[in-house]
Amino acid sequence: PNPNTGLFVLELTTVSKVTVTNALGQVVISETFEAGKHNLDIHNEATGVYFVKVIENNKQQTIKVIKE
């Protein structure tokens, strides 16, 4: 759901590089995840807009997340 409390699930089909940044462009999370469901936790971060960038099979997708 968007907005959310900072806890969300990311479902990936292949090994993917995931980067979460805040509205200022500061990196909050930067990891490589295997295929499957993964819990991302930014509930300790400040309220605001975050961007989740997923690079999968040389394709990039960015999702805007609002943390309340």
Side-chain angles (χ1 to χ4, degrees):
N2 213 2
N4 68 43
T5 60
L7 299 170
F8 55 97
V9 177
L10 193 62
E11 191 168 349
L12 305 169
T13 57
T14 63
V15 174
S16 303
K17 171 87 171 145
V18 177
T19 306
V20 180
T21 56
N22 63 19
L24 300 175
Q26 298 166 322
V27 176
V28 176
I29 296 173
S30 181
E31 291 187 41
T32 300
F33 291 101
E34 297 293 322
K37 290 185 179 180
H38 301 277
N39 294 316
L40 291 181
D41 181 357
I42 59 169
H43 83 274
N44 288 330
E45 299 296 326
T47 299
V49 176
Y50 291 82
F51 298 94
V52 180
K53 180 170 72 174
V54 179
I55 300 173
E56 185 176 53
N57 292 330
N58 294 323
K59 294 179 185 169
Q60 177 177 306
Q61 180 179 10
T62 303
I63 303 154
K64 182 167 110 176
V65 176
I66 301 168
K67 182 191 173 284
E68 318 185 288

